[in-house]
Amino acid sequence: MADNARAKRLADLIREVVAQKLQRGIKDPRLGSHVTITDTRVTGDLREATVFYTVYGDDEERAAASAGLESAKGILRSEVGKAAGVKFTPTLTFVMDALPDTARNIEDLLDKARQSDEKVREASAGAAYAGEADPYRKPGESDDETDAAPEAVDADETDDTAK
């Protein structure tokens, strides 16, 4: 089993070799300039590599690019073997990267949240507070009802006022 640093270096090398070969070496029209290699991962035993890619275009172009990558898998693997110089060239598996779809979904959710916030702002534009604008007491302010303690009343004082 190889160490993680070696697997990372091999994954980086595979990503670069595959991207260069797709850009310059393969003449398949299905693999035009709209295919982008986003990430590569190699297993710990360096036997299998997963290459993640995105395709700029609609579903038809994505399907064509997937078929093109599958047909070019042997050529790409031999190029990786020449560049890597390892005892066993890893098998390549191409997987459509879900990152753009996930990012698009998150953007849609954020747009919905912004619209909801705007509706709340519009509804609260003319609204008033249910109580006072600032319900908290500030130092130095006194409220007659809560701060003033009832004073003890002597019986003599009540008699003087009654007379």
Side-chain angles (χ1 to χ4, degrees), residues 81-102:
K82 289 177 191 174
V86 291
K87 184 176 182 179
F88 182 80
T89 303
T91 58
L92 302 178
T93 305
F94 292 96
V95 176
M96 178 74 75
D97 198 355
L99 184 67
D101 294 333
T102 305

Side-chain angles (χ1 to χ4, degrees), residues 8 12 14 31 36 41 48 61 64 76 84-86 93 102 106 113-114 131 133 145 147 162-163:
K8 174 88 170 97
D12 291 341
I14 291 171
L31 301 175
T36 303
R41 295 185 185 153
E48 298 175 14
E61 290 176 351
L76 294 172
V86 291
T93 305
T102 305
I106 290 173
R114 285 185 200 105
E145 298 173 3
D147 289 344
K163 291 180 188 179

Side-chain angles (χ1 to χ4, degrees), residues 2 6 9-10 13-14 42 45-47 77 80-91:
R6 185 172 180 202
R9 285 193 312 266
L10 183 60
L13 178 70
I14 291 171
V42 177
D45 60 356
L46 306 179
R47 296 274 180 159
R77 184 174 180 215
V80 167
K82 289 177 191 174
V86 291
K87 184 176 182 179
F88 182 80
T89 303
T91 58

